[in-house]
Coordinates of all heavy atoms in Angstrom, one line a residue:
A150 N 43.0 264.0 83.7 CA 42.6 264.0 82.3 C 42.9 262.7 81.7 O 42.2 262.1 81.0 CB 43.4 265.1 81.6
L151 N 44.1 262.1 82.1 CA 44.5 260.8 81.6 C 43.7 259.7 82.2 O 43.5 258.6 81.6 CB 46.0 260.6 81.8 CG 46.9 261.4 80.9 CD1 48.3 261.5 81.4 CD2 46.8 261.1 79.4
R152 N 43.2 259.8 83.3 CA 42.2 258.8 83.8 C 41.1 258.8 83.1 O 40.3 257.6 82.8 CB 42.0 258.9 85.3 CG 43.0 258.5 86.3 CD 42.7 258.5 87.7 NE 42.5 259.8 88.3 CZ 43.5 260.6 88.7 NH1 44.8 260.1 88.6 NH2 43.4 261.8 89.3
L153 N 40.6 259.9 82.6 CA 39.4 260.1 81.8 C 39.5 259.7 80.3 O 38.7 259.1 79.7 CB 38.9 261.5 81.9 CG 38.5 262.0 83.2 CD1 38.1 263.5 83.1 CD2 37.1 261.2 83.7
N154 N 40.8 259.9 79.8 CA 41.1 259.6 78.4 C 42.7 259.2 78.4 O 43.4 260.0 78.1 CB 41.0 260.7 77.5 CG 41.2 260.5 76.2 OD1 41.6 259.4 75.7 ND2 41.2 261.4 75.2
P155 N 42.8 257.9 78.6 CA 44.2 257.4 78.6 C 44.9 257.4 77.3 O 46.1 257.1 77.2 CB 44.1 256.0 79.1 CG 42.7 255.6 78.9 CD 41.9 256.9 78.9
N156 N 44.2 257.8 76.2 CA 44.9 257.9 74.9 C 45.2 259.2 74.5 O 45.3 259.6 73.3 CB 43.9 257.2 73.9 CG 43.9 255.8 74.2 OD1 44.8 255.0 74.4 ND2 42.6 255.3 74.1
D157 N 45.3 260.3 75.4 CA 45.5 261.6 75.1 C 47.0 261.9 75.1 O 47.6 262.2 76.3 CB 44.8 262.5 76.1 CG 44.8 263.8 75.7 OD1 45.7 264.4 74.8 OD2 44.0 264.8 76.4
A158 N 47.7 261.9 73.9 CA 49.1 262.2 73.8 C 49.4 263.5 74.3 O 50.5 263.7 74.9 CB 49.5 261.9 72.3
F159 N 48.5 264.6 74.0 CA 48.8 265.8 74.4 C 48.9 266.0 75.9 O 49.9 266.6 76.5 CB 47.7 266.7 73.9 CG 47.9 268.3 74.4 CD1 48.7 269.1 73.6 CD2 47.1 268.8 75.3 CE1 48.8 270.5 73.9 CE2 47.1 270.0 75.7 CZ 48.0 270.9 75.0
A160 N 48.1 265.3 76.7 CA 48.1 265.4 78.2 C 49.3 264.7 78.6 O 50.0 265.1 79.5 CB 46.9 264.7 78.7
Y161 N 49.7 263.5 78.0 CA 51.0 262.9 78.4 C 52.3 263.6 78.2 O 53.0 263.7 79.1 CB 51.2 261.6 77.7 CG 50.6 260.5 78.2 CD1 49.4 259.8 77.6 CD2 51.0 259.9 79.6 CE1 48.8 258.8 78.3 CE2 50.4 258.7 80.1 CZ 49.3 258.2 79.5 OH 48.7 257.2 80.1
N162 N 52.3 264.5 77.1 CA 53.4 265.3 76.9 C 53.4 266.5 77.9 O 54.5 266.8 78.5 CB 53.3 266.0 75.5 CG 54.5 266.9 75.2 OD1 55.7 266.5 75.2 ND2 54.1 268.2 74.9
N163 N 52.3 267.1 78.2 CA 52.1 268.2 79.2 C 52.5 267.7 80.6 O 53.2 268.3 81.5 CB 50.9 268.9 79.2 CG 50.7 269.8 77.9 OD1 51.8 270.1 77.3 ND2 49.7 270.0 77.5
L164 N 52.1 266.4 80.9 CA 52.4 265.9 82.3 C 54.0 265.7 82.3 O 54.5 266.1 83.4 CB 51.8 264.4 82.3 CG 52.1 263.8 83.5 CD1 51.8 264.4 84.9 CD2 51.5 262.4 83.5
G165 N 54.6 265.3 81.2 CA 56.0 265.2 81.2 C 56.7 266.6 81.4 O 57.6 266.6 82.3
V166 N 56.3 267.6 80.8 CA 56.8 268.9 81.1 C 56.6 269.2 82.5 O 57.7 269.8 83.2 CB 56.0 269.9 80.2 CG1 56.5 271.3 80.6 CG2 56.4 269.6 78.7
A167 N 55.4 269.1 83.2 CA 55.3 269.4 84.5 C 56.3 268.5 85.5 O 56.8 269.0 86.4 CB 53.8 269.2 85.0
L168 N 56.4 267.3 85.2 CA 57.2 266.5 85.9 C 58.7 266.8 85.9 O 59.4 266.9 86.8 CB 57.0 264.9 85.6 CG 55.7 264.3 85.8 CD1 55.5 263.2 85.1 CD2 55.6 264.1 87.4
S169 N 59.0 267.1 84.7 CA 60.5 267.7 84.4 C 60.7 269.0 85.2 O 61.8 269.1 85.8 CB 60.6 267.9 82.9 OG 61.9 268.4 82.6
D170 N 59.7 269.8 85.2 CA 59.8 271.0 85.9 C 60.1 270.8 87.5 O 60.7 271.6 88.1 CB 58.6 271.9 85.8 CG 58.5 272.7 84.6 OD1 59.4 272.6 83.8 OD2 57.5 273.1 84.2
Q171 N 59.7 269.6 88.0 CA 59.9 269.2 89.4 C 61.1 268.5 89.6 O 61.4 268.1 90.6 CB 58.6 268.5 89.9 CG 57.5 269.3 90.3 CD 56.6 268.5 91.1 OE1 56.3 267.4 91.0 NE2 55.8 269.1 92.1
G172 N 61.7 268.2 88.5 CA 63.0 267.4 88.6 C 62.9 266.0 88.5 O 63.7 265.1 88.8
K173 N 61.6 265.5 88.3 CA 61.2 264.1 88.1 C 61.5 263.6 86.7 O 60.5 263.3 85.9 CB 59.8 264.0 88.6 CG 59.5 264.3 90.0 CD 58.2 264.1 90.3 CE 57.9 264.5 91.8 NZ 56.5 264.4 92.2
V174 N 62.7 263.5 86.3 CA 63.1 263.2 85.0 C 62.8 262.0 84.5 O 62.2 261.8 83.3 CB 64.7 263.5 84.8 CG1 65.0 263.3 83.3 CG2 65.0 265.0 85.1
E175 N 63.0 261.0 85.4 CA 62.6 259.5 84.8 C 61.1 259.4 84.6 O 60.6 258.8 83.5 CB 63.0 258.5 85.9 CG 64.6 258.3 86.0 CD 65.1 257.7 84.6 OE1 64.5 257.0 83.9 OE2 66.2 258.4 84.3
E176 N 60.3 260.0 85.5 CA 58.8 259.9 85.2 C 58.5 260.8 84.0 O 57.6 260.5 83.2 CB 58.1 260.5 86.4 CG 58.2 259.6 87.6 CD 57.6 260.2 88.9 OE1 56.4 260.7 88.9 OE2 58.3 260.4 90.0
A177 N 59.1 261.8 83.7 CA 58.8 262.8 82.6 C 59.1 262.0 81.4 O 58.3 262.0 80.4 CB 59.6 264.1 82.7
I178 N 60.4 261.3 81.3 CA 60.6 260.5 80.2 C 59.6 259.4 79.8 O 59.2 259.2 78.7 CB 62.0 259.8 80.4 CG1 63.1 260.8 80.4 CG2 62.1 258.5 79.4 CD1 64.5 260.3 80.8
E179 N 59.0 258.7 80.9 CA 57.9 257.8 80.7 C 56.7 258.5 80.2 O 56.1 258.0 79.2 CB 57.6 257.1 82.2 CG 58.7 256.1 82.4 CD 58.4 255.6 83.9 OE1 57.2 255.6 84.3 OE2 59.3 255.0 84.6
A180 N 56.4 259.8 80.6 CA 55.3 260.4 80.0 C 55.5 260.7 78.6 O 54.6 260.5 77.7 CB 55.0 261.6 80.8
Y181 N 56.7 261.2 78.2 CA 57.0 261.4 76.8 C 57.0 260.4 76.0 O 56.4 260.3 74.9 CB 58.3 262.2 76.7 CG 58.5 263.6 77.3 CD1 59.8 263.6 78.2 CD2 57.4 264.5 77.5 CE1 60.0 265.0 78.8 CE2 57.7 265.7 78.0 CZ 58.9 265.8 78.8 OH 59.1 267.1 79.5
Q182 N 57.4 259.2 76.5 CA 57.5 258.0 75.7 C 56.0 257.5 75.4 O 55.5 257.1 74.3 CB 58.1 256.8 76.4 CG 59.7 257.1 76.6 CD 60.3 256.1 77.5 OE1 59.7 255.7 78.4 NE2 61.5 255.7 77.3
Q183 N 55.1 257.6 76.3 CA 53.8 257.2 76.2 C 53.0 258.2 75.1 O 52.2 257.8 74.5 CB 52.9 257.4 77.5 CG 51.6 256.8 77.4 CD 51.4 255.4 77.0 OE1 52.3 254.6 77.5 NE2 50.5 254.9 76.3
A184 N 53.4 259.5 75.2 CA 52.9 260.4 74.3 C 53.4 260.1 72.8 O 52.5 260.1 71.9 CB 53.3 261.8 74.6
L185 N 54.5 259.7 72.7 CA 55.1 259.2 71.4 C 54.5 257.8 70.9 O 54.2 257.6 69.7 CB 56.5 259.1 71.3 CG 57.2 260.6 71.5 CD1 58.7 260.5 71.7 CD2 56.9 261.3 70.3
C186 N 54.2 257.0 71.9 CA 53.5 255.7 71.5 C 52.1 256.0 71.0 O 51.8 255.3 70.1 CB 53.4 254.7 72.6 SG 55.0 254.1 73.2
L187 N 51.4 256.9 71.5 CA 50.1 257.3 71.2 C 50.0 258.0 69.8 O 49.1 257.9 69.0 CB 49.4 258.0 72.1 CG 49.0 257.1 73.5 CD1 48.6 258.0 74.6 CD2 48.1 256.1 73.2
N188 N 51.1 259.0 69.7 CA 51.2 259.8 68.5 C 52.6 259.9 68.0 O 53.3 260.9 68.6 CB 50.6 261.2 68.8 CG 50.6 262.0 67.6 OD1 51.2 261.6 66.5 ND2 50.1 263.3 67.8
P189 N 53.2 259.1 67.2 CA 54.6 259.1 66.7 C 54.9 260.5 66.0 O 56.1 260.5 65.7 CB 54.7 257.9 65.8 CG 53.5 257.1 66.0 CD 52.4 258.1 66.6
N190 N 53.9 261.3 65.7 CA 54.2 262.5 64.9 C 54.1 263.7 65.9 O 54.2 264.7 65.4 CB 53.2 262.7 63.8 CG 53.2 261.6 62.9 OD1 54.3 261.1 62.3 ND2 52.0 261.1 62.4
N191 N 54.2 263.5 67.2 CA 54.1 264.6 68.2 C 55.7 265.2 68.3 O 56.4 264.7 69.1 CB 53.8 264.1 69.5 CG 53.5 265.1 70.4 OD1 54.1 266.2 70.4 ND2 52.5 264.9 71.4
A192 N 55.9 266.3 67.6 CA 57.1 266.8 67.6 C 57.6 267.4 69.0 O 58.8 267.3 69.3 CB 57.2 268.0 66.4
A193 N 56.6 268.0 69.6 CA 57.0 268.5 71.0 C 57.4 267.5 71.8 O 58.3 267.7 72.7 CB 55.6 269.2 71.5
A194 N 56.7 266.3 71.8 CA 57.2 265.2 72.7 C 58.6 264.7 72.3 O 59.3 264.4 73.2 CB 56.1 264.1 72.6
Y195 N 58.9 264.6 71.1 CA 60.2 264.3 70.6 C 61.3 265.3 71.2 O 62.3 264.9 71.6 CB 60.3 264.1 69.1 CG 59.9 262.9 68.5 CD1 58.8 262.7 67.7 CD2 60.7 261.7 68.7 CE1 58.5 261.6 67.2 CE2 60.4 260.6 68.3 CZ 59.2 260.3 67.5 OH 58.9 259.2 66.8

C-alpha cells in the first residue's frame, strides 16, 4: 500500500503496529514517525 501511496499516514501507523507485534520495535518506531511526519494530528500514531 505504501509503495502505491507513500503519503498514507494510516498505512504507516498500521505497519508500525504489525512490526511491533513481531517485536521489531525500531522499525515500528520509524513507521510511527513517518505517520506523524505525514499527519501530525494522528492521535493513534502518537
Side-chain angles (χ1 to χ4, degrees):
L151 289 166
R152 282 190 287 277
L153 296 172
N154 181 7
N156 295 316
D157 188 343
F159 180 77
Y161 273 109
N162 182 60
N163 287 337
L164 174 61
V166 171
L168 290 166
S169 182
D170 286 348
Q171 281 199 324
K173 298 177 179 176
V174 179
E175 290 299 322
E176 291 177 54
I178 289 170
E179 291 176 19
Y181 299 139
Q182 290 169 330
Q183 188 60 36
L185 290 169
C186 287
L187 293 169
N188 180 4
N190 297 317
N191 187 332
Y195 274 111

